[in-house]
Amino acid sequence: MNVLTVEKYQNLDKQSFNELIEKDIPFVIRDADFGYCMTQWSADYLKDRLGETKVTVHQSMQSMLNFIDKNFLYKTLPFNEMIDKCLNDDQHYYYLRSIGSDRRARDVADIRAQFTEISDDVTIPSFMSICQKTDECRSTQDCHQTGHRQLFSSVFRISSKDLVLWTHYDILDNILVQIKGRKRVVLFPPDNCQYLYLESDKSRVIDIDEPEDLLREKFPLFLNVDRYECVLEEGESLFIPSLWFHNTTALEFSIGMNFFWKDKQLIDDNMYNKSDVYGNKDLNPAVDAFANVDKLVKHLDKMPKKFTDFYLRVIINKLQNKLN
Amino acid sequence: MNVLTVEKYQNLDKQSFNELIEKDIPFVIRDADFGYCMTQWSADYLKDRLGETKVTVHQSMQSMLNFIDKNFLYKTLPFNEMIDKCLNDDQHYYYLRSIGSDRRARDVADIRAQFTEISDDVTIPSFMSICQKTDECRSTQDCHQTGHRQLFSSVFRISSKDLVLWTHYDILDNILVQIKGRKRVVLFPPDNCQYLYLESDKSRVIDIDEPEDLLREKFPLFLNVDRYECVLEEGESLFIPSLWFHNTTALEFSIGMNFFWKDKQLIDDNMYNKSDVYGNKDLNPAVDAFANVDKLVKHLDKMPKKFTDFYLRVIINKLQNKLN
């Protein structure tokens, strides 16, 4: 296992930010100013402002959410109650990942639209060139002309101390802003996917901190990963590039948010899945490619094992050559 | 490189032969009796019997046939002249691989039908249970009932001293009978395909005996192969299982023949390509699978390289998991 540190920067301007984004490697900004929220948000402040607003959260008896064992359930409760439970419930762990108001209507999370009482608290720093949907950019076309990144969603993230969210990738670039509490984030680059025992967009390696001898037994390939680590202090923001796997651990009760944006080229080429509300549905051509994988496997399975295995090897080799 | 010896056997009966075939590993039979040809065939005998019969051969200035550089051409000439050239032409190397009388009619090689003057010289030993298309088996159905292997083709193979035929695989099991001259055969198992730099059914590693440092430079993966070697002495026969790669070198002027047979299950399941006259066209489901590979690659190529490579890795990993 190769452990790497995520670099931290401050005083970025538009150009230096763009250059870092271009590198497609995670980095932390110590001092990005997202407005009033940075200094004012606290458990009490949010309880006061959002009060009885209903939210749906993950609730679990275990700190480490596990999508295989499904050791959590979804609870809908008032915002102030959720905050109290995050802080005081000794039996459970909570995780809020805000969603759109109407999932069936393909409504994505928009922190300022869904939590209007606090919408004025949040402003994306202008050096990030993320479209704020003001008069300046009314359409994709406008964003293209202004050179803005097109905001896809803004997500509220609140969690109990010690809560661990499983390792997964998103297909959108995003900035995770840590407002209250500290959070450890571990990231793995996209070309580590073969070491992560994937199930769709998630890794079956639930506990990435298990002792090496246990990992060697259960997930031997995982020991080959490049493990990028950082601890986000209050007020720090992390750039998580699309397709980079990430795993978060709230070292303290945490209040944060993140902003996903879409890639200009991929919008133009119509590659995003229109029904994606989370930013994690694979690009349309990838879905088509996966369908062809299923078909080819069906064809191969018609043959006796000797031939199936041989042609599988030949095909893997063809694809490997394409990669090199 | 792991060098292994091909085992040699004698005095096989039907049961021991079947058991060896089941192992799906090449082996040599020292004493299989294919009739009068074993003792009587020689350059002079065949010249005398087949005289002016026209045959088409590979002719090359180089001993090592190269399908990439196409360092050979096809010549049609009388059988007796071909034999003389094999023995006496200092400028050229010749290789006869007999074919059916009418390729357009999907006519496969049948040594006894195409060279009637010598057809009585050849009898497949009965312990091999290869159908001779006598009264006993008039149809596939009959073969199934008698438990016979169904003969696909019988091929005359005559070559100049030193001629090397490129490494390739066939999709049919076959027995190569060495009648005159000695021949070195090197074989590689099907699961070595990723080390052989394949182009369809052939390896781009033309000279498998090149010094290791040159190979390391040009074909580094080739150094991982399991190299099964044998020298076929006059009168010896080699079982070459389907999908096993093989490369032959005539250590002396060589007269031989081989018999391909079809697999019962694959016949029943209609998996052979009906237009295959050489026994080297991939099985129908493999061709369908390859078409899906082409399609999936086209889908992946629509995306920016970062996504193409990521999803390629994910797909390779899926297929790799299926193999394990």
Side-chain angles (χ1 to χ4, degrees):
Chain A
M1 201 168 316
N2 192 12
V3 180
L4 299 115
T5 306
V6 178
E7 298 291 331
K8 297 196 173 189
Y9 296 89
Q10 50 203 26
N11 262 320
L12 293 183
D13 61 8
K14 193 169 162 174
Q15 193 190 335
S16 49
F17 178 76
N18 284 344
E19 283 167 9
L20 285 170
I21 295 274
E22 278 302 306
K23 288 191 184 166
D24 208 42
I25 294 172
F27 63 91
V28 170
I29 312 172
R30 285 189 201 275
D31 60 351
D33 184 5
F34 286 81
Y36 196 70
C37 62
M38 305 301 280
T39 49
Q40 296 308 308
W41 283 8
S42 65
D44 286 339
Y45 175 90
L46 292 179
K47 273 168 66 178
D48 181 51
R49 288 300 181 98
L50 297 172
E52 301 293 319
T53 305
K54 285 281 187 351
V55 285
T56 300
V57 299
H58 297 69
Q59 182 200 53
S60 176
M61 306 281 282
Q62 291 163 304
S63 64
M64 207 170 275
L65 298 185
N66 186 325
F67 71 93
I68 297 162
D69 296 348
K70 293 271 183 296
N71 65 345
F72 57 89
L73 38 86
Y74 295 100
K75 280 263 185 188
T76 298
L77 72 182
F79 195 93
N80 50 16
E81 202 176 305
M82 181 271 292
I83 293 278
D84 284 336
K85 286 188 183 292
C86 278
L87 288 165
N88 306 317
D89 184 342
D90 293 340
Q91 305 294 312
H92 297 99
Y93 299 86
Y94 295 86
Y95 183 65
L96 167 68
R97 185 259 186 243
S98 66
I99 56 174
S101 325
D102 185 351
R103 277 168 70 187
R104 281 162 305 180
R106 295 175 187 169
D107 199 7
V108 301
D110 179 344
I111 197 168
R112 286 169 294 192
Q114 280 137 24
F115 303 92
T116 49
E117 300 83 352
I118 55 163
S119 60
D120 290 342
D121 298 354
V122 177
T123 320
I124 303 175
S126 62
F127 73 82
M128 292 186 181
S129 303
I130 295 173
C131 174
Q132 314 254 2
K133 289 189 182 155
T134 59
D135 284 352
E136 207 183 353
C137 295
R138 286 170 192 234
S139 67
T140 309
Q141 212 52 43
D142 291 344
C143 284
H144 281 201
Q145 295 207 343
T146 54
H148 282 164
R149 299 184 164 87
Q150 197 180 323
L151 186 67
F152 172 72
S153 64
S154 51
V155 182
F156 222 151
R157 297 197 184 258
I158 295 179
S159 68
S160 303
K161 178 175 185 305
D162 296 333
L163 188 121
V164 179
L165 184 63
W166 52 66
T167 305
H168 68 286
Y169 68 88
D170 300 296
I171 53 134
L172 299 178
D173 286 348
N174 84 92
I175 293 270
L176 173 64
V177 189
Q178 186 68 8
I179 295 173
K180 274 284 163 234
R182 299 162 71 239
K183 186 175 272 169
R184 188 195 69 167
V185 187
V186 179
L187 304 106
F188 310 99
D191 67 3
N192 275 199
C193 61
Q194 63 271 37
Y195 308 139
L196 289 169
Y197 301 85
L198 289 189
E199 201 161 307
S200 180
D201 61 325
K202 303 175 191 70
S203 167
R204 284 190 274 121
V205 185
I206 294 295
D207 184 359
I208 63 171
D209 298 307
E210 244 180 343
E212 202 166 301
D213 54 336
L214 282 179
L215 284 172
R216 193 179 306 283
E217 203 174 287
K218 291 153 70 179
F219 302 108
L221 296 172
F222 182 72
L223 298 174
N224 298 318
V225 291
D226 300 313
R227 180 180 171 122
Y228 287 71
E229 283 213 25
C230 64
V231 172
L232 289 180
E233 306 291 338
E234 287 188 0
E236 292 189 336
S237 307
L238 170 67
F239 169 58
I240 305 178
S242 58
L243 304 182
W244 277 70
F245 298 88
H246 46 286
N247 177 292
T248 63
T249 306
L251 303 177
E252 299 166 7
F253 163 73
S254 282
I255 301 173
M257 57 186 176
N258 79 302
F259 299 89
F260 287 108
W261 65 85
K262 286 186 166 181
D263 180 90
K264 207 152 116 173
Q265 191 59 49
L266 295 177
I267 296 172
D268 284 351
D269 294 346
N270 219 357
M271 291 201 180
Y272 289 114
N273 184 321
K274 288 214 183 340
S275 68
D276 187 9
V277 293
Y278 292 111
N280 65 359
K281 288 209 175 177
D282 290 311
L283 297 187
N284 294 330
V287 173
D288 292 338
F290 288 144
N292 281 118
V293 173
D294 291 343
K295 280 183 196 164
L296 84 81
V297 165
K298 268 187 197 139
H299 287 305
L300 293 182
D301 278 340
K302 291 177 193 161
M303 296 181 284
K305 184 168 165 47
K306 171 183 173 177
F307 288 87
T308 305
D309 285 358
F310 174 72
Y311 287 116
L312 251 176
R313 285 200 167 84
V314 170
I315 287 170
I316 289 169
N317 195 232
K318 265 177 198 256
L319 296 175
Q320 198 75 52
N321 287 342
K322 184 171 166 52
L323 200 55
N324 300 336
Chain B
M1 201 168 319
N2 192 12
V3 181
L4 300 115
T5 305
V6 177
E7 298 290 329
K8 298 197 174 189
Y9 297 90
Q10 50 203 24
N11 262 322
L12 294 183
D13 60 11
K14 192 169 162 175
Q15 192 190 336
S16 49
F17 178 77
N18 284 344
E19 283 167 8
L20 285 170
I21 294 274
E22 279 301 306
K23 288 189 183 167
D24 208 43
I25 294 171
F27 63 91
V28 169
I29 312 172
R30 287 190 199 275
D31 59 352
D33 184 3
F34 286 80
Y36 197 68
C37 63
M38 304 301 279
T39 49
Q40 296 307 309
W41 282 7
S42 65
D44 287 339
Y45 175 91
L46 291 179
K47 273 168 68 178
D48 179 54
R49 286 302 180 96
L50 296 172
E52 301 294 318
T53 305
K54 285 282 186 347
V55 285
T56 299
V57 298
H58 297 70
Q59 182 201 52
S60 175
M61 306 282 280
Q62 291 164 302
S63 64
M64 207 170 276
L65 298 184
N66 186 325
F67 71 94
I68 297 164
D69 296 347
K70 293 273 183 295
N71 66 346
F72 57 88
L73 39 82
Y74 295 100
K75 281 263 182 185
T76 298
L77 70 183
F79 195 94
N80 50 18
E81 203 176 304
M82 180 271 292
I83 294 277
D84 285 336
K85 285 188 183 293
C86 278
L87 288 167
N88 306 318
D89 183 342
D90 292 340
Q91 304 296 311
H92 297 99
Y93 298 86
Y94 295 86
Y95 184 64
L96 166 69
R97 184 259 187 246
S98 66
I99 54 175
S101 324
D102 184 352
R103 276 168 71 186
R104 281 163 304 182
R106 295 176 186 169
D107 199 7
V108 301
D110 179 343
I111 197 169
R112 286 169 293 192
Q114 279 135 25
F115 303 93
T116 48
E117 301 83 350
I118 55 163
S119 61
D120 289 343
D121 297 355
V122 177
T123 319
I124 302 174
S126 61
F127 73 82
M128 292 186 179
S129 303
I130 295 173
C131 174
Q132 316 253 2
K133 290 191 180 154
T134 59
D135 284 353
E136 208 183 353
C137 296
R138 287 172 191 231
S139 68
T140 308
Q141 213 51 44
D142 289 346
C143 282
H144 281 202
Q145 296 209 341
T146 54
H148 282 164
R149 299 184 165 87
Q150 197 180 323
L151 186 67
F152 171 71
S153 64
S154 51
V155 183
F156 224 149
R157 301 201 182 252
I158 295 179
S159 69
S160 303
K161 180 175 184 305
D162 296 332
L163 187 121
V164 180
L165 183 64
W166 53 65
T167 306
H168 68 285
Y169 69 86
D170 300 295
I171 54 135
L172 300 177
D173 286 346
N174 84 93
I175 292 270
L176 172 64
V177 189
Q178 186 67 9
I179 295 173
K180 274 284 163 233
R182 298 160 73 240
K183 186 174 273 169
R184 187 194 70 166
V185 187
V186 179
L187 305 106
F188 310 98
D191 67 3
N192 273 198
C193 61
Q194 63 270 39
Y195 308 138
L196 290 169
Y197 300 85
L198 289 189
E199 200 162 309
S200 178
D201 60 325
K202 303 174 192 68
S203 168
R204 285 189 274 124
V205 185
I206 294 295
D207 185 359
I208 62 171
D209 298 307
E210 244 180 343
E212 204 166 298
D213 53 335
L214 283 179
L215 284 172
R216 194 178 306 281
E217 203 174 290
K218 292 153 69 176
F219 303 108
L221 296 172
F222 183 71
L223 298 174
N224 298 318
V225 291
D226 300 311
R227 181 181 172 123
Y228 287 72
E229 283 213 26
C230 63
V231 171
L232 289 180
E233 306 290 337
E234 288 188 359
E236 291 188 339
S237 308
L238 170 66
F239 169 58
I240 305 179
S242 59
L243 304 182
W244 277 70
F245 298 89
H246 46 286
N247 176 293
T248 63
T249 306
L251 303 177
E252 300 166 5
F253 162 74
S254 281
I255 301 173
M257 57 188 177
N258 80 300
F259 300 89
F260 287 107
W261 65 84
K262 287 185 165 181
D263 179 90
K264 207 153 115 173
Q265 192 58 50
L266 294 176
I267 297 172
D268 283 352
D269 293 344
N270 220 357
M271 292 201 181
Y272 290 114
N273 183 321
K274 289 214 182 343
S275 68
D276 186 9
V277 293
Y278 292 111
N280 65 358
K281 289 209 175 180
D282 290 312
L283 297 187
N284 294 330
V287 173
D288 292 338
F290 288 145
N292 281 117
V293 173
D294 292 343
K295 281 182 196 165
L296 83 83
V297 165
K298 266 186 197 140
H299 288 305
L300 294 182
D301 279 340
K302 291 175 194 163
M303 296 182 283
K305 183 166 164 52
K306 172 183 172 177
F307 289 88
T308 306
D309 286 359
F310 174 72
Y311 287 116
L312 250 175
R313 283 201 169 83
V314 170
I315 287 170
I316 288 168
N317 195 232
K318 266 178 197 254
L319 296 175
Q320 199 74 52
N321 287 341
K322 185 169 164 55
L323 200 56
N324 299 336

